[in-house]
Amino acid sequence: MTRKPRSDARERILDAALVVSQQVGAAHLTLDAVAAEAGVSKGGLLYHFASKDALLRAMVEHHLDAHRETLRTAMAEFPASPGGYLQALVQAHRAERKDGFHEPHAMRSFIAAAVNTPELMEGPRRFASEQVAQLRRLGPHFSEAMLLTLAFDGLFFGETFEMLDLTSAERETIVQTIAERAAAIAKAADGQ
């Protein structure tokens, strides 16, 4: 088996932690299991992450970084305007859903871990605040734009906790409706 260079050990450990969390849940993740999955000693893991909480925080940041990158990619497809930002949010949601970014078991386990370690939510809270600040730039269209993002939150949590019994066609129709509404808001807000 070919191993990545030592300089990639931190990334290998993070990747392994994500695999283990998908298998057993973040709340049940052990450093021993992550070290074994990453092919490093437990001491090697502890060199990069001093505790399970530090590893969990890094996993949350890893997810946020991936989300930010998806959003940056989507933003390149739309005008650099408040309306373009809203449309990029919709596009990023679609891309993440297509890529399986929000696998329900993993998301439930992160939420469970956050209940026991509230500081895990510091990064997501900051990101949510940044997002709301961007949407406020829509002025009188802010409330409607927030409703669209809250609809996505509802889909996310409904699917994460397996509370929505939607067919894929029904879900896509809902997402398409959100995308169309976002485009209309963008047009009105950006004066197109």
Side-chain angles (χ1 to χ4, degrees), residues 35 37 55 57 68 71 74 86 96 105 118 123 134 140 149 153 155 161 174 181 187:
E37 180 70 28
L55 179 58
R57 273 192 296 278
R68 284 183 179 105
L71 182 56
L86 175 62
E96 288 172 348
H105 176 68
Q134 286 290 334
T149 64
D153 290 346
L155 283 173
F161 292 102
I174 292 167
R181 193 62 216 136
K187 185 176 181 179

Side-chain angles (χ1 to χ4, degrees), residues 3 18 31 42 53 72 80 100 109 119 142 153 160:
R3 299 224 186 263
L18 294 169
L31 296 181
K42 187 172 180 181
D53 286 349
R72 271 192 291 276
S109 70
E119 55 273 6
F142 168 71
D153 290 346
T160 296

Side-chain angles (χ1 to χ4, degrees), residues 43 58 81 89 98 104 117 133 150 172-173:
S81 66
L89 283 177
K98 183 180 173 191
T117 313
L150 293 170
E172 184 51 35
T173 298

Side-chain angles (χ1 to χ4, degrees), residues 56-160:
L56 288 171
R57 273 192 296 278
M59 291 169 66
V60 169
E61 287 301 318
H62 177 80
H63 274 290
L64 279 175
D65 289 345
H67 179 68
R68 284 183 179 105
E69 184 56 35
T70 302
L71 182 56
R72 271 192 291 276
T73 299
M75 287 171 70
E77 297 179 30
F78 297 97
S81 66
Y85 181 81
L86 175 62
Q87 290 180 288
L89 283 177
V90 172
Q91 180 66 24
H93 173 81
R94 287 181 131 168
E96 288 172 348
R97 176 69 177 152
K98 183 180 173 191
D99 293 342
F101 185 76
H102 297 298
E103 191 276 322
H105 176 68
M107 288 298 110
R108 280 193 306 268
S109 70
F110 273 110
I111 291 166
V115 168
N116 295 322
T117 313
E119 55 273 6
L120 287 178
M121 294 306 296
E122 290 171 5
R125 280 187 194 102
R126 277 192 310 274
F127 179 77
S129 292
E130 293 165 9
Q131 180 176 297
V132 170
Q134 286 290 334
L135 293 175
R136 280 191 177 111
R137 294 174 50 223
L138 289 164
H141 304 283
F142 168 71
S143 295
E144 191 171 6
M146 278 302 301
L147 287 173
L148 297 181
T149 64
L150 293 170
F152 275 133
D153 290 346
L155 283 173
F156 168 76
F157 285 107
E159 290 173 345
T160 296

